[in-house]
Amino acid sequence: MQRFNLQSHLDTLYTRFPQAEHQPVIGLTANFAAPDVSLCERYYNQVLAAGATPVIIPPVSDTDTIVNTLEHIDGLILTGGADYNPLWAGEQPQPGLHHINARRDLPELLITRLAYDRNIPILGICRGIQTLAMALGGTVVQDINSSNNNNKTIQTPLPRGGEGGGFLKHSQDADRNLPTHTVTTVEGSVLHSLYGGTVCVNSFHHQAVGETGPLFRVTATAPDGVIEAIESTAHRPVIGVQWHPEWLEEEGLKIFQWLADQARNFHTAKLLHRRILTLDTHVDTPMFFHQGIHFDQRDQRIKCDLQKMTDGRQDAVIMAAYLPQPKMGEQFSQKVKAPSSNTQHLLTPLSYANLIFDQIEQIVKANSPYLSIARTPADLYEDKRKGRRSIMLAIENGLALEHDLANLRHFAQRGIVYMTLCHNGDNDICDSAKGCNTHQGVSRFGQQVIQEMNRLGIMVDLSHAAEKSFYDAADISSTPIVCSHSNCRALCDHPRNLTDDQMRLLARQGGVMQITLYPGFLRSKLSPSGGRGLEGGFGEASVLDAIAHLEHAVSVMGIDHVGIGTDFDGDGGVTGFNDSSEAINFTLHLLRRKYSERDIQKIWGGNWLRVMTTVQKSRQ
């Protein structure tokens, strides 16, 4: 090939193109020095060496541009540069503040926050670690050498052979590829797995992270206590380092290779979510609709909204009209304000469930280009094809029927796809896992309800039911039963969870069990807890606990009888899968465990939809 012969270069490209493998695309934030946007070549050379494709992201704060950029990248590098304007942190400038770059600040804070919302793998370098802190709930110390750091103490004097204390010089004038001090990594961190306990690093900074905030933990420190690295506390691939690994050649390459691997996995998960339907079979979000939540926005008061579903690449949810079970001798009590006044009205179970469905229909109508109510599996797939998210309807607690089968037919006409027979307390249909054994299982009326549900093509949901109610319903129902949000008692001894024997029966009859994210059903009681679940408490639970329950269920029932029903906004949510925006993070964990696309499709709703199809075909 002749060096200056364009055709010879093209011939080589055309020959290789059909065999070209996909490389993850990693965006790098650019520096700005009027009138130029620039990036040190060391950054993109390390990205290339890691087997990824670099693209430069200019400092643009237009949100449409940022969202479209994020849609096309698989990883993000926040690069080094000037100080942040302290006003972004609500602070005044201190004497040690250096040059600030107003053109970079807002664009990088926005892109960091939005990239985090979308679960995109992120590596922050020098200024970049400070960007992570500024954008995601932490703080930055303007000058680590200043005595006035708003009471933030980040340095501990080093011993000097009995002569008192001292501090490291963090802003070196040595060559950038020369390590100038060491940092100590935390065991169990990503950095520790990449580099071991001690890392030799370069150092060109006078600012540093002061407090990590709740989304990060410190994973490396300098000998004088300065924070040198932070990592996500939510089982996400997000790391910030204070040094400049782009200059440290082979040693520095390790962290770029880590990012490239994470970006490659994220790209695989994105493509998978495009091909399969992802369905969460139980959320309680409608109980908050009367509080004026904004389902069409990212509303911090709820865990499932249209924005979070979009961020998590989640296609559909089943929204339950949840009715709390009154205590024995008490009346159902749900009050709502009239739209035009502060007057509160006491609703019956029937009218309250209808109000929930009315509110869902209003939300869907207001967002019809993006959202739809689905009644069948075919509706779900059609919505996905048209680029819409879907909502299905359900009832949690047969109390809504008010002891009248005609009301069950009414709800069938409204489009419910399942009804959870009871909640926390016995009702007129069956005994609850938190009940008093009122009927010794399913009541006579409950038997009529189940038979009518079979006739109407409504799935019979036994989550919350007592063990005897479960077995009675399995005997009565002519179609497979389901548990829309339940876990494994073998891993967490809780009456709301299913025994292995219950799970085996469920599988034999063709049913499905949906793993839920309520912490108290994932881990044994460790600490006091409130909430809407059963009495008791729970310790910190994570997405790894949910995976453990899923894998136990698979070992007992097989891959064809499991799924996900998060119980979001019903106290469901764990670290790493705390709202709908993290749905793709759950998929990433499945991919790491080598689940096939076929199996992931089954877990993410395929099994549930098989049962729904069977039940709906039995409709008379």
Side-chain angles (χ1 to χ4, degrees):
M1 180 178 67
Q2 297 181 26
R3 183 176 180 185
F4 297 105
N5 185 323
L6 175 61
Q7 188 59 47
S8 67
H9 288 273
L10 289 172
D11 290 343
T12 301
L13 174 65
Y14 294 153
T15 300
R16 294 182 56 192
F17 179 75
Q19 289 80 37
E21 295 182 2
H22 172 81
Q23 290 185 333
V25 177
I26 295 179
L28 300 100
T29 56
N31 195 22
F32 180 83
D36 299 322
V37 169
S38 62
L39 181 70
C40 172
E41 67 173 349
R42 292 279 181 155
Y43 285 111
Y44 62 77
N45 281 338
Q46 289 283 54
V47 172
L48 290 168
T53 297
V55 295
I56 298 176
I57 301 174
V60 177
S61 59
D62 176 72
T63 51
D64 286 343
T65 300
I66 292 174
V67 169
N68 278 280
T69 298
L70 294 176
E71 193 64 29
H72 291 89
I73 64 173
D74 307 310
L76 175 65
I77 294 177
L78 304 167
T79 63
D83 292 356
Y84 267 96
N85 188 327
L87 291 178
W88 288 112
E91 298 176 358
Q92 297 299 321
Q94 296 174 8
L97 186 70
H98 291 186
H99 172 69
I100 62 176
N101 195 324
R103 290 291 290 269
R104 292 187 66 176
D105 287 1
L106 179 59
E108 291 185 15
L109 292 172
L110 287 173
I111 199 169
T112 301
R113 188 64 172 266
L114 294 175
Y116 185 87
D117 288 346
R118 286 158 177 74
N119 298 273
I120 295 174
I122 305 174
L123 170 61
I125 296 175
C126 199
R127 169 188 162 99
I129 186 177
Q130 296 154 24
T131 304
L132 288 171
M134 291 278 284
L136 296 166
T139 62
V140 171
V141 175
Q142 291 186 38
D143 181 17
I144 58 178
N145 299 308
S146 172
S147 60
N148 178 21
N149 280 317
N150 295 327
N151 297 318
K152 302 183 185 82
T153 302
I154 63 169
Q155 288 179 295
T156 303
L158 298 172
R160 285 184 177 173
E163 296 181 4
F167 299 101
L168 286 180
K169 180 181 180 183
H170 287 273
S171 184
Q172 297 282 2
D173 54 7
D175 290 342
R176 289 182 172 264
N177 60 2
L178 180 66
T180 55
H181 74 275
T182 62
V183 302
T184 302
T185 64
V186 173
E187 190 170 354
S189 66
V190 172
L191 284 174
H192 193 276
S193 69
L194 293 176
Y195 293 104
T198 302
V199 189
C200 296
V201 302
N202 51 17
S203 192
F204 310 100
H205 70 102
H206 73 106
Q207 293 191 321
V209 172
E211 298 171 353
T212 64
L215 299 180
F216 295 99
R217 64 186 180 112
V218 176
T219 55
T221 54
D224 61 355
V226 167
I227 295 173
E228 293 277 356
I230 60 176
E231 296 181 17
S232 168
T233 57
H235 299 279
R236 292 194 190 193
V238 182
I239 294 180
V241 296
Q242 189 60 71
W243 63 92
H244 283 268
E246 74 276 14
W247 285 93
L248 296 179
E249 300 173 349
E250 290 297 320
E251 280 297 294
L253 180 60
K254 293 177 181 178
I255 199 166
F256 288 90
Q257 290 173 328
W258 168 84
L259 181 66
D261 289 342
Q262 300 302 318
R264 190 174 293 107
N265 294 339
F266 183 66
H267 179 79
T268 299
K270 286 194 299 183
L271 293 183
L272 182 55
H273 275 235
R274 289 178 192 171
R275 293 191 295 267
I276 69 172
L277 183 76
T278 52
L279 170 67
D280 177 353
T281 61
H282 189 88
V283 300
D284 283 314
T285 311
M287 75 166 71
F288 294 101
F289 285 169
H290 71 278
Q291 297 181 11
I293 63 97
H294 300 287
F295 186 79
D296 58 334
Q297 301 174 18
R298 177 173 271 271
D299 194 317
Q300 298 303 316
R301 293 170 292 179
I302 54 176
K303 294 189 175 185
C304 177
D305 57 41
L306 189 56
Q307 183 68 58
K308 294 185 185 75
M309 290 178 68
T310 302
D311 289 345
R313 292 172 164 79
Q314 181 182 330
D315 297 310
V317 295
I318 302 181
M319 288 191 170
Y322 155 67
L323 289 83
Q325 181 66 31
K327 294 181 180 179
M328 191 71 68
E330 295 182 355
Q331 296 294 316
F332 178 80
S333 178
Q334 285 292 311
K335 297 179 180 179
V336 297
K337 291 182 180 179
S340 57
S341 70
N342 289 325
T343 304
Q344 289 192 329
H345 295 275
L346 184 64
L347 300 180
T348 67
L350 175 67
S351 59
Y352 180 70
N354 277 317
L355 175 64
I356 291 293
F357 296 145
D358 290 343
Q359 291 172 328
I360 293 174
E361 289 175 352
Q362 291 167 7
I363 288 171
V364 169
K365 183 178 180 180
N367 297 277
S368 57
Y370 318 105
L371 194 61
S372 175
I373 291 178
R375 291 171 173 254
T376 68
D379 292 342
L380 293 175
Y381 288 110
E382 178 68 6
D383 284 342
K384 184 174 178 69
R385 187 182 70 81
K386 292 182 176 179
R388 293 192 299 246
R389 262 67 195 181
S390 302
I391 293 174
M392 287 185 147
L393 307 180
I395 291 174
E396 186 174 20
N397 194 351
L399 180 71
L401 303 185
E402 296 184 355
H403 206 79
D404 188 344
L405 292 180
N407 289 331
L408 183 60
R409 293 188 283 274
H410 162 76
F411 287 124
Q413 291 173 349
R414 293 216 67 164
I416 69 167
V417 296
Y418 74 79
M419 185 173 73
T420 313
L421 296 188
C422 63
H423 194 254
N424 287 345
D426 302 343
N427 61 15
D428 57 353
I429 296 174
C430 69
D431 295 335
S432 164
K434 190 190 176 183
C436 304
N437 201 27
T438 303
H439 312 287
Q440 289 79 51
V442 172
S443 70
R444 290 183 180 180
F445 176 65
Q447 180 174 349
Q448 295 175 335
V449 168
I450 292 170
Q451 291 169 339
E452 185 70 357
M453 290 173 72
N454 292 162
R455 192 185 70 79
L456 295 170
I458 299 171
M459 302 167 83
V460 179
D461 178 22
L462 273 300
S463 286
H464 285 286
E467 194 167 341
K468 181 62 164 58
S469 299
F470 175 94
Y471 285 113
D472 285 352
D475 286 340
I476 296 166
S477 181
S478 61
T479 62
I481 60 174
V482 299
C483 290
S484 66
H485 58 303
S486 295
N487 288 337
C488 307
R489 200 177 299 184
L491 300 189
C492 180
D493 188 10
H494 196 295
R496 259 288 277 113
N497 289 341
L498 301 185
T499 66
D500 286 3
D501 285 342
Q502 287 177 284
M503 292 157 61
R504 291 187 188 100
L505 175 62
L506 193 66
R508 282 199 303 271
Q509 294 191 347
V512 64
M513 165 188 173
Q514 308 293 99
I515 298 300
T516 194
L517 302 182
Y518 179 66
F521 305 153
L522 288 168
R523 298 189 63 174
S524 299
K525 183 170 68 173
L526 294 175
S527 60
S529 164
R532 195 171 59 83
L534 298 183
E535 293 174 357
F538 50 83
E540 287 294 326
S542 78
V543 64
L544 301 181
D545 294 299
I547 294 287
H549 279 262
L550 175 71
E551 295 191 325
H552 179 79
V554 171
S555 72
V556 173
M557 298 190 295
I559 193 66
D560 294 324
H561 303 282
V562 296
I564 297 296
T566 62
D567 205 15
F568 284 151
D569 296 314
D571 289 342
V574 294
T575 301
F577 196 1
N578 196 46
D579 60 40
S580 294
S581 73
E582 294 188 307
I584 197 168
N585 193 33
F586 182 75
T587 301
L588 284 163
H589 282 282
L590 296 178
L591 288 170
R592 290 187 191 110
R593 284 163 173 76
K594 308 302 180 185
Y595 281 84
S596 68
E597 177 171 337
R598 174 79 171 161
D599 287 348
I600 294 174
Q601 180 269 333
K602 291 178 179 181
I603 293 167
W604 259 126
N607 292 331
W608 177 276
L609 296 180
R610 182 197 70 243
V611 178
M612 184 185 292
T613 299
T614 299
V615 172
Q616 292 185 347
K617 282 184 176 179
S618 71
R619 186 184 295 135
Q620 299 175 13

